[in-house]
Amino acid sequence: MDKAPMNKAPMNTPPWITGTMRILILGGTGEASALVRSLAGRRDRAVTLSLAGRTAAPKPEPVPTRIGGFGGAEGLARYLEAEAITRLIDATHPFAARMSANAARAAALTGVPLLAIRRPAWNREPGDDWIEVDGMEEAVAALGAEPRRVFLTIGRQEAGAFAAAPQHSYLARTVEPLGGILPVPHLTALEARGPFDAASEAALMRASRIEIVVSKNAGGAATYGKIAAARGLGLPVVMVRRPGKPDVPSVADAAGARRWLDAGDHAGPSTLRAV
């Protein structure tokens, strides 16, 4: 899908002369939405939100939105230059390692300042029974050979890995329809979008007689309810560790990103580049 139209400064006009900071936000998270909402309507900010397109009906946002990939780091670099972007914010999911790597490479190629919003990971609390693993293959193995009732909460993209363990009964919750990606004999597909509180998560686990939970360590409050519920019910959690990300400047939330952007208002030609 083509990106929505946006007001664009003339290509030969330095952005510090127009007084408008041109921002590309790589989104798909609550932090990205919060940042977009806080910037919408400001005349000194020309914001474009970019979504990967994995959700068929994303929540509407109050800024121009483009959907789909860029064609790798080089494609993103070409976009930054063509659109005269002066600030790039990586507010993608903690597990979107490839997009974060592309953002870092594109920023290096173009000189556009980059900031990542990286929400803190969840930490093990007293009473948590975590089996920490480094990917879906290890997560499948951690379920064991004996049949178990599994609450699968890792999203749609990687659910197919669990077809390698068809002996288990799965309750798989996804935002998008699961379709035929997980061809196992005992599957209940649940479509729902967070946030989820601990009480409702515990009720769901009890009603489904869940014995073990599989989760990515996404961090944040929106989906922490399942972790708290598993702790309260004494259930083990197979916790998939986060992938490595590039070493770039980062903040924990949208408020930190706003402060970074506001600090950029005081930068001149030496730090804001015309492209």
Side-chain angles (χ1 to χ4, degrees):
M1 181 183 298
D2 293 336
K3 68 180 182 67
M6 59 183 290
N7 295 326
K8 182 174 177 182
M11 294 297 293
N12 60 352
T13 303
W16 57 84
I17 292 177
T18 68
T20 299
M21 183 181 288
R22 302 178 62 77
I23 305 164
L24 177 63
I25 300 173
L26 307 176
T29 59
E31 290 83 2
S33 293
L35 181 58
V36 161
R37 290 193 299 270
S38 72
L39 298 175
R42 285 187 56 167
R43 294 189 176 185
D44 59 344
R45 303 282 189 262
V47 180
T48 297
L49 174 66
S50 177
L51 302 176
R54 292 180 176 178
T55 301
K59 181 176 65 175
E61 298 287 2
V63 299
T65 302
R66 70 176 303 282
I67 297 178
F70 293 92
E74 289 73 18
L76 176 55
R78 288 191 295 270
Y79 180 92
L80 296 177
E81 293 184 339
E83 299 295 335
I85 299 300
T86 57
R87 289 292 185 273
L88 175 61
I89 296 181
D90 174 13
T92 57
H93 192 273
F95 281 76
R98 180 178 298 179
M99 190 66 245
S100 291
N102 288 345
R105 175 62 178 158
L109 288 171
T110 61
V112 173
L114 167 66
L115 180 76
I117 301 180
R118 294 183 180 164
R119 74 175 77 125
W122 296 320
N123 293 316
R124 190 192 300 258
E125 300 287 343
D128 283 331
D129 180 8
W130 287 7
I131 306 164
E132 295 190 84
V133 299
D134 289 315
M136 292 307 152
E137 185 175 343
E138 289 187 19
V140 173
L143 295 178
E146 293 299 316
R148 307 174 86 173
R149 300 184 67 84
V150 182
F151 186 19
L152 198 60
T153 65
I154 58 165
R156 181 180 184 275
Q157 298 297 318
E158 296 176 283
F162 291 83
Q167 72 273 26
H168 303 299
S169 297
Y170 294 97
L171 170 63
R173 183 171 66 198
T174 57
V175 174
E176 296 291 305
L178 192 60
I181 200 169
L182 182 53
V184 293
H186 306 292
L187 171 66
T188 300
L190 175 62
E191 293 173 36
R193 187 190 299 267
F196 306 104
D197 63 78
S200 62
E201 294 286 70
L204 175 62
M205 293 181 198
R206 284 194 295 265
S208 302
R209 295 182 287 125
I210 295 300
E211 298 173 275
I212 189 168
V213 178
V214 182
S215 173
K216 294 177 177 178
N217 194 333
T223 58
Y224 186 72
K226 63 188 173 185
I227 308 304
R231 181 192 310 129
L233 295 172
L235 298 180
V237 176
V238 178
M239 185 67 76
V240 183
R241 297 185 184 96
R242 295 182 176 189
K245 292 287 191 84
D247 184 12
V248 302
S250 63
V251 293
D253 53 25
R258 288 196 303 272
R259 288 192 293 271
W260 181 77
L261 292 171
D262 289 343
D265 286 329
H266 305 294
S270 61
T271 53
L272 277 177
R273 59 187 297 276
V275 292

